[in-house]
Amino acid sequence: MLLLIPLCLALAWLFLRQESREKYVPAVLLKGLASCCFVLLGLLASPGTPLARLIVLGLVLGCAADVLLNLRWVFEKKGKLIFLVGILVFLGGHILYLAAVLPLCGNRLAIFLAGAALTALLMSRIFKRISAEKAFKIFGVVYIGAIVLLNCVAVANLLAAPSAFTGLFAAGAVFFLVSDVVLILNTFGSETKQSLRVTNVMLYYVGQLLIALSLLFAGGL
């Protein structure tokens, strides 16, 4: 089962090579295969509890969103629509992750207020460095807000009840957030850099793998 981790990262690296050469059809196939690895890891690690099933469904939506985000280069005429749909699917995955771990969290009002404040702070800084259409900015606020809230809940759970599950899940959520911030800056910033693209993709896959791996230790939840 753990061999899926290096396989996923290797496929992600091959995807990046194909994408950088603008070979978008093989790139999207490789990305889909890489994402299937973290879904399969989650399925194999899952203890079958309600919490685990929600996280596995979140991984499945993440896999679907990965394919959609790169299909925008294959079908360029509908690229903007495909991109927005992909973001919506990712948002659905974050909501499922949040639904899984929120019941473990105490003092939810404070966590929600902290999430809102951190989202406002983060987005104000991001908007100073990017140029994007209004629709993308609205999607960005909602999307980043959801993942910031997920991070707040995950870290609060870790602090309240340290365990292998809460630690791995929180680490995965943090990697996911950093990856998305890098993606936004690189996509909508003044200059697109391949080094940032590599950083974004590899952080993303590490994050998803950590979330999937956390299910190995979720048996009592």
Side-chain angles (χ1 to χ4, degrees), residues 54 61 88-101 142 146 150:
L54 286 172
L61 288 187
L88 276 175
V89 175
F90 258 133
L91 178 60
H94 292 322
I95 291 171
L96 287 170
Y97 289 157
L98 186 59
V101 297
V142 175
L150 175 64

Side-chain angles (χ1 to χ4, degrees), residues 15-16 19 70 186 193-201:
F15 150 70
L16 286 166
E19 184 186 64
N70 266 74
N186 198 41
K193 297 180 180 179
Q194 180 61 17
S195 60
L196 290 179
R197 177 60 173 159
V198 172
T199 301
N200 149 232
V201 169

Side-chain angles (χ1 to χ4, degrees), residues 19 24 31 48 60 100 102 106-107 112 122 131 148 159 161 167 173-174 221:
E19 184 186 64
Y24 295 124
K31 193 179 188 187
V60 171
L102 187 59
N107 201 358
F112 273 84
L122 181 58
S131 175
V148 167
L159 294 175
V174 170
L221 302 172

Side-chain angles (χ1 to χ4, degrees), residues 16-215:
L16 286 166
R17 288 174 61 87
Q18 293 299 310
E19 184 186 64
S20 67
R21 296 170 182 171
E22 298 185 356
K23 296 181 179 179
Y24 295 124
V25 173
V28 77
L29 291 173
L30 285 165
K31 193 179 188 187
L33 289 172
S35 299
C36 283
C37 287
F38 64 65
V39 172
L40 185 56
L41 177 61
L43 284 169
L44 293 174
S46 172
T49 61
L51 176 147
R53 286 196 291 268
L54 286 172
I55 291 175
V56 169
L57 285 174
L59 293 169
V60 171
L61 288 187
C63 178
D66 286 334
V67 173
L68 283 168
L69 290 186
N70 266 74
L71 279 177
R72 75 186 192 273
W73 302 119
V74 179
F75 304 103
E76 291 190 52
K77 291 183 178 180
K78 296 183 178 180
K80 185 187 298 184
L81 176 61
I82 293 172
F83 182 83
L84 290 175
V85 172
I87 295 298
L88 276 175
V89 175
F90 258 133
L91 178 60
H94 292 322
I95 291 171
L96 287 170
Y97 289 157
L98 186 59
V101 297
L102 187 59
L104 306 178
C105 182
N107 201 358
R108 296 174 193 174
L109 178 58
I111 297 299
F112 273 84
L113 291 174
L118 289 172
T119 299
L121 177 63
L122 181 58
M123 293 310 296
S124 67
R125 292 181 177 274
I126 288 174
F127 283 155
K128 291 178 181 178
R129 299 180 60 180
I130 68 170
S131 175
E133 297 178 22
K134 187 176 181 180
F136 285 105
K137 287 186 175 181
I138 293 171
F139 269 62
V141 170
V142 175
Y143 178 81
I144 291 297
I147 193 169
V148 167
L149 178 58
L150 175 64
N151 271 261
C152 289
V153 171
V155 172
N157 287 344
L158 174 61
L159 294 175
S163 68
F165 169 74
T166 56
L168 287 169
F169 189 92
V174 170
F175 272 99
F176 211 139
L177 175 60
V178 176
S179 168
D180 281 335
V181 171
V182 173
L183 171 65
I184 292 171
L185 294 176
N186 198 41
T187 302
F188 300 106
S190 58
E191 183 182 0
T192 300
K193 297 180 180 179
Q194 180 61 17
S195 60
L196 290 179
R197 177 60 173 159
V198 172
T199 301
N200 149 232
V201 169
M202 299 313 288
L203 285 175
Y204 165 75
Y205 277 103
V206 170
Q208 290 282 46
L209 286 167
L210 286 171
I211 289 172
L213 192 61
S214 73
L215 293 177

